[in-house]
PDB file of all heavy atoms in Angstrom:
ATOM      1  N   GLN A 468      12.375  -3.875  22.717  1.00 98.00           N
ATOM      2  CA  GLN A 468      11.487  -3.054  23.506  1.00 98.00           C
ATOM      3  C   GLN A 468      11.809  -1.511  23.338  1.00 98.00           C
ATOM      4  O   GLN A 468      10.917  -0.700  23.333  1.00 98.00           O
ATOM      5  CB  GLN A 468      11.649  -3.440  24.957  1.00 98.00           C
ATOM      6  CG  GLN A 468      10.409  -3.098  25.775  1.00 98.00           C
ATOM      7  CD  GLN A 468      10.589  -3.565  27.248  1.00 98.00           C
ATOM      8  OE1 GLN A 468      11.528  -4.281  27.583  1.00 98.00           O
ATOM      9  NE2 GLN A 468       9.672  -3.155  28.030  1.00 98.00           N
ATOM     10  N   VAL A 469      13.054  -1.211  23.190  1.00 97.00           N
ATOM     11  CA  VAL A 469      13.488   0.177  23.090  1.00 97.00           C
ATOM     12  C   VAL A 469      12.869   0.851  21.886  1.00 97.00           C
ATOM     13  O   VAL A 469      12.717   2.079  21.823  1.00 97.00           O
ATOM     14  CB  VAL A 469      15.020   0.259  23.096  1.00 97.00           C
ATOM     15  CG1 VAL A 469      15.660  -0.562  21.965  1.00 97.00           C
ATOM     16  CG2 VAL A 469      15.519   1.711  23.018  1.00 97.00           C
ATOM     17  N   HIS A 470      12.394   0.050  20.887  1.00 98.00           N
ATOM     18  CA  HIS A 470      11.711   0.622  19.700  1.00 98.00           C
ATOM     19  C   HIS A 470      10.207   0.493  19.758  1.00 98.00           C
ATOM     20  O   HIS A 470       9.548   0.671  18.740  1.00 98.00           O
ATOM     21  CB  HIS A 470      12.277  -0.050  18.423  1.00 98.00           C
ATOM     22  CG  HIS A 470      13.766  -0.004  18.309  1.00 98.00           C
ATOM     23  ND1 HIS A 470      14.467   1.199  18.391  1.00 98.00           N
ATOM     24  CD2 HIS A 470      14.702  -0.990  18.161  1.00 98.00           C
ATOM     25  CE1 HIS A 470      15.746   0.940  18.267  1.00 98.00           C
ATOM     26  NE2 HIS A 470      15.935  -0.369  18.129  1.00 98.00           N
ATOM     27  N   ASP A 471       9.692   0.170  20.924  1.00 98.00           N
ATOM     28  CA  ASP A 471       8.212  -0.013  21.104  1.00 98.00           C
ATOM     29  C   ASP A 471       7.443   1.219  20.619  1.00 98.00           C
ATOM     30  O   ASP A 471       6.408   1.105  19.968  1.00 98.00           O
ATOM     31  CB  ASP A 471       7.852  -0.281  22.560  1.00 98.00           C
ATOM     32  CG  ASP A 471       8.051  -1.756  22.923  1.00 98.00           C
ATOM     33  OD1 ASP A 471       8.461  -2.542  22.034  1.00 98.00           O
ATOM     34  OD2 ASP A 471       7.837  -2.083  24.138  1.00 98.00           O
ATOM     35  N   ASN A 472       8.001   2.383  20.966  1.00 97.00           N
ATOM     36  CA  ASN A 472       7.256   3.637  20.649  1.00 97.00           C
ATOM     37  C   ASN A 472       7.134   3.818  19.143  1.00 97.00           C
ATOM     38  O   ASN A 472       6.130   4.304  18.616  1.00 97.00           O
ATOM     39  CB  ASN A 472       7.868   4.824  21.320  1.00 97.00           C
ATOM     40  CG  ASN A 472       7.004   6.053  21.158  1.00 97.00           C
ATOM     41  OD1 ASN A 472       5.828   6.054  21.538  1.00 97.00           O
ATOM     42  ND2 ASN A 472       7.591   7.100  20.543  1.00 97.00           N
ATOM     43  N   PHE A 473       8.205   3.467  18.460  1.00 98.00           N
ATOM     44  CA  PHE A 473       8.181   3.573  16.988  1.00 98.00           C
ATOM     45  C   PHE A 473       7.083   2.691  16.409  1.00 98.00           C
ATOM     46  O   PHE A 473       6.263   3.096  15.603  1.00 98.00           O
ATOM     47  CB  PHE A 473       9.577   3.171  16.428  1.00 98.00           C
ATOM     48  CG  PHE A 473       9.525   2.758  14.957  1.00 98.00           C
ATOM     49  CD1 PHE A 473       9.161   3.720  14.009  1.00 98.00           C
ATOM     50  CD2 PHE A 473       9.828   1.488  14.560  1.00 98.00           C
ATOM     51  CE1 PHE A 473       9.137   3.346  12.638  1.00 98.00           C
ATOM     52  CE2 PHE A 473       9.800   1.131  13.250  1.00 98.00           C
ATOM     53  CZ  PHE A 473       9.458   2.060  12.269  1.00 98.00           C
ATOM     54  N   ARG A 474       7.058   1.428  16.838  1.00 98.00           N
ATOM     55  CA  ARG A 474       6.066   0.491  16.250  1.00 98.00           C
ATOM     56  C   ARG A 474       4.654   0.927  16.643  1.00 98.00           C
ATOM     57  O   ARG A 474       3.724   0.853  15.832  1.00 98.00           O
ATOM     58  CB  ARG A 474       6.353  -0.948  16.695  1.00 98.00           C
ATOM     59  CG  ARG A 474       7.661  -1.507  16.115  1.00 98.00           C
ATOM     60  CD  ARG A 474       7.761  -3.008  16.291  1.00 98.00           C
ATOM     61  NE  ARG A 474       7.553  -3.451  17.670  1.00 98.00           N
ATOM     62  CZ  ARG A 474       8.439  -3.423  18.612  1.00 98.00           C
ATOM     63  NH1 ARG A 474       9.681  -2.959  18.391  1.00 98.00           N
ATOM     64  NH2 ARG A 474       8.186  -3.810  19.837  1.00 98.00           N
ATOM     65  N   ALA A 475       4.507   1.383  17.877  1.00 97.00           N
ATOM     66  CA  ALA A 475       3.170   1.826  18.324  1.00 97.00           C
ATOM     67  C   ALA A 475       2.674   3.050  17.521  1.00 97.00           C
ATOM     68  O   ALA A 475       1.521   3.188  17.169  1.00 97.00           O
ATOM     69  CB  ALA A 475       3.187   2.118  19.843  1.00 97.00           C
ATOM     70  N   THR A 476       3.663   3.953  17.272  1.00 97.00           N
ATOM     71  CA  THR A 476       3.249   5.181  16.528  1.00 97.00           C
ATOM     72  C   THR A 476       2.907   4.821  15.082  1.00 97.00           C
ATOM     73  O   THR A 476       1.996   5.380  14.507  1.00 97.00           O
ATOM     74  CB  THR A 476       4.398   6.220  16.556  1.00 97.00           C
ATOM     75  OG1 THR A 476       4.761   6.441  17.934  1.00 97.00           O
ATOM     76  CG2 THR A 476       3.950   7.541  15.967  1.00 97.00           C
ATOM     77  N   ALA A 477       3.691   3.900  14.502  1.00 98.00           N
ATOM     78  CA  ALA A 477       3.384   3.470  13.137  1.00 98.00           C
ATOM     79  C   ALA A 477       1.985   2.886  13.073  1.00 98.00           C
ATOM     80  O   ALA A 477       1.193   3.214  12.155  1.00 98.00           O
ATOM     81  CB  ALA A 477       4.430   2.429  12.682  1.00 98.00           C
ATOM     82  N   ARG A 478       1.638   2.050  14.029  1.00 96.00           N
ATOM     83  CA  ARG A 478       0.296   1.437  14.027  1.00 96.00           C
ATOM     84  C   ARG A 478      -0.756   2.530  14.277  1.00 96.00           C
ATOM     85  O   ARG A 478      -1.826   2.497  13.619  1.00 96.00           O
ATOM     86  CB  ARG A 478       0.205   0.388  15.147  1.00 96.00           C
ATOM     87  CG  ARG A 478       0.970  -0.898  14.826  1.00 96.00           C
ATOM     88  CD  ARG A 478       0.416  -2.055  15.609  1.00 96.00           C
ATOM     89  NE  ARG A 478       1.287  -3.216  15.670  1.00 96.00           N
ATOM     90  CZ  ARG A 478       1.429  -4.068  14.674  1.00 96.00           C
ATOM     91  NH1 ARG A 478       0.801  -3.892  13.531  1.00 96.00           N
ATOM     92  NH2 ARG A 478       2.240  -5.118  14.773  1.00 96.00           N
ATOM     93  N   LYS A 479      -0.435   3.446  15.173  1.00 96.00           N
ATOM     94  CA  LYS A 479      -1.392   4.547  15.448  1.00 96.00           C
ATOM     95  C   LYS A 479      -1.713   5.316  14.177  1.00 96.00           C
ATOM     96  O   LYS A 479      -2.825   5.717  13.870  1.00 96.00           O
ATOM     97  CB  LYS A 479      -0.849   5.462  16.522  1.00 96.00           C
ATOM     98  CG  LYS A 479      -1.808   6.487  17.020  1.00 96.00           C
ATOM     99  CD  LYS A 479      -1.196   7.341  18.156  1.00 96.00           C
ATOM    100  CE  LYS A 479      -0.855   8.707  17.612  1.00 96.00           C
ATOM    101  NZ  LYS A 479      -0.061   9.510  18.541  1.00 96.00           N
ATOM    102  N   CYS A 480      -0.635   5.533  13.378  1.00 96.00           N
ATOM    103  CA  CYS A 480      -0.798   6.334  12.134  1.00 96.00           C
ATOM    104  C   CYS A 480      -1.519   5.548  11.042  1.00 96.00           C
ATOM    105  O   CYS A 480      -2.180   6.150  10.212  1.00 96.00           O
ATOM    106  CB  CYS A 480       0.555   6.784  11.589  1.00 96.00           C
ATOM    107  SG  CYS A 480       1.360   8.018  12.597  1.00 96.00           S
ATOM    108  N   PHE A 481      -1.341   4.234  10.959  1.00 97.00           N
ATOM    109  CA  PHE A 481      -1.796   3.504   9.799  1.00 97.00           C
ATOM    110  C   PHE A 481      -2.856   2.418  10.078  1.00 97.00           C
ATOM    111  O   PHE A 481      -3.698   2.152   9.195  1.00 97.00           O
ATOM    112  CB  PHE A 481      -0.618   2.888   9.064  1.00 97.00           C
ATOM    113  CG  PHE A 481       0.246   3.926   8.392  1.00 97.00           C
ATOM    114  CD1 PHE A 481       1.335   4.488   9.041  1.00 97.00           C
ATOM    115  CD2 PHE A 481      -0.106   4.411   7.139  1.00 97.00           C
ATOM    116  CE1 PHE A 481       2.088   5.488   8.437  1.00 97.00           C
ATOM    117  CE2 PHE A 481       0.611   5.412   6.498  1.00 97.00           C
ATOM    118  CZ  PHE A 481       1.728   5.951   7.189  1.00 97.00           C
ATOM    119  N   VAL A 482      -2.866   1.818  11.262  1.00 97.00           N
ATOM    120  CA  VAL A 482      -3.893   0.848  11.573  1.00 97.00           C
ATOM    121  C   VAL A 482      -4.350   1.086  13.032  1.00 97.00           C
ATOM    122  O   VAL A 482      -4.135   0.236  13.907  1.00 97.00           O
ATOM    123  CB  VAL A 482      -3.485  -0.612  11.376  1.00 97.00           C
ATOM    124  CG1 VAL A 482      -3.626  -1.013   9.936  1.00 97.00           C
ATOM    125  CG2 VAL A 482      -2.058  -0.914  11.851  1.00 97.00           C
ATOM    126  N   PRO A 483      -4.926   2.300  13.295  1.00 96.00           N
ATOM    127  CA  PRO A 483      -5.249   2.652  14.674  1.00 96.00           C
ATOM    128  C   PRO A 483      -6.099   1.608  15.392  1.00 96.00           C
ATOM    129  O   PRO A 483      -6.972   1.014  14.790  1.00 96.00           O
ATOM    130  CB  PRO A 483      -6.001   3.980  14.545  1.00 96.00           C
ATOM    131  CG  PRO A 483      -6.377   4.099  13.134  1.00 96.00           C
ATOM    132  CD  PRO A 483      -5.404   3.268  12.336  1.00 96.00           C
ATOM    133  N   GLU A 484      -5.771   1.392  16.665  1.00 94.00           N
ATOM    134  CA  GLU A 484      -6.537   0.447  17.453  1.00 94.00           C
ATOM    135  C   GLU A 484      -7.783   1.149  17.982  1.00 94.00           C
ATOM    136  O   GLU A 484      -7.931   1.382  19.154  1.00 94.00           O
ATOM    137  CB  GLU A 484      -5.701  -0.118  18.596  1.00 94.00           C
ATOM    138  CG  GLU A 484      -4.812  -1.251  18.145  1.00 94.00           C
ATOM    139  CD  GLU A 484      -4.001  -1.842  19.274  1.00 94.00           C
ATOM    140  OE1 GLU A 484      -4.619  -2.312  20.237  1.00 94.00           O
ATOM    141  OE2 GLU A 484      -2.747  -1.810  19.159  1.00 94.00           O
ATOM    142  N   ASP A 485      -8.630   1.479  17.037  1.00 95.00           N
ATOM    143  CA  ASP A 485      -9.845   2.269  17.342  1.00 95.00           C
ATOM    144  C   ASP A 485     -10.977   1.439  16.731  1.00 95.00           C
ATOM    145  O   ASP A 485     -11.110   1.319  15.507  1.00 95.00           O
ATOM    146  CB  ASP A 485      -9.718   3.626  16.649  1.00 95.00           C
ATOM    147  CG  ASP A 485     -10.980   4.408  16.566  1.00 95.00           C
ATOM    148  OD1 ASP A 485     -11.978   3.985  17.159  1.00 95.00           O
ATOM    149  OD2 ASP A 485     -11.019   5.419  15.892  1.00 95.00           O
ATOM    150  N   GLU A 486     -11.769   0.845  17.622  1.00 95.00           N
ATOM    151  CA  GLU A 486     -12.737  -0.157  17.161  1.00 95.00           C
ATOM    152  C   GLU A 486     -13.739   0.384  16.136  1.00 95.00           C
ATOM    153  O   GLU A 486     -13.985  -0.241  15.095  1.00 95.00           O
ATOM    154  CB  GLU A 486     -13.457  -0.813  18.361  1.00 95.00           C
ATOM    155  CG  GLU A 486     -14.086  -2.165  18.008  1.00 95.00           C
ATOM    156  CD  GLU A 486     -13.243  -3.145  17.128  1.00 95.00           C
ATOM    157  OE1 GLU A 486     -12.031  -3.350  17.413  1.00 95.00           O
ATOM    158  OE2 GLU A 486     -13.776  -3.637  16.120  1.00 95.00           O
ATOM    159  N   PRO A 487     -14.257   1.619  16.296  1.00 96.00           N
ATOM    160  CA  PRO A 487     -15.159   2.156  15.251  1.00 96.00           C
ATOM    161  C   PRO A 487     -14.431   2.281  13.873  1.00 96.00           C
ATOM    162  O   PRO A 487     -15.029   1.972  12.861  1.00 96.00           O
ATOM    163  CB  PRO A 487     -15.561   3.528  15.771  1.00 96.00           C
ATOM    164  CG  PRO A 487     -15.415   3.427  17.259  1.00 96.00           C
ATOM    165  CD  PRO A 487     -14.266   2.499  17.483  1.00 96.00           C
ATOM    166  N   TRP A 488     -13.170   2.698  13.880  1.00 97.00           N
ATOM    167  CA  TRP A 488     -12.448   2.809  12.628  1.00 97.00           C
ATOM    168  C   TRP A 488     -12.260   1.458  11.977  1.00 97.00           C
ATOM    169  O   TRP A 488     -12.497   1.250  10.822  1.00 97.00           O
ATOM    170  CB  TRP A 488     -11.064   3.482  12.869  1.00 97.00           C
ATOM    171  CG  TRP A 488     -10.295   3.754  11.589  1.00 97.00           C
ATOM    172  CD1 TRP A 488     -10.383   4.826  10.776  1.00 97.00           C
ATOM    173  CD2 TRP A 488      -9.320   2.878  11.008  1.00 97.00           C
ATOM    174  NE1 TRP A 488      -9.543   4.696   9.700  1.00 97.00           N
ATOM    175  CE2 TRP A 488      -8.869   3.504   9.819  1.00 97.00           C
ATOM    176  CE3 TRP A 488      -8.788   1.633  11.341  1.00 97.00           C
ATOM    177  CZ2 TRP A 488      -7.899   2.936   8.971  1.00 97.00           C
ATOM    178  CZ3 TRP A 488      -7.820   1.066  10.530  1.00 97.00           C
ATOM    179  CH2 TRP A 488      -7.395   1.705   9.345  1.00 97.00           C
TER     180      TRP A 488
END
Side-chain angles (χ1 to χ4, degrees):
Q468 204 179 351
V469 56
H470 305 306
D471 279 358
N472 188 55
F473 160 63
R474 294 193 308 280
T476 308
R478 288 202 195 283
K479 187 177 107 190
C480 290
F481 290 94
V482 279
E484 278 182 59
D485 165 9
E486 201 42 50
W488 185 86

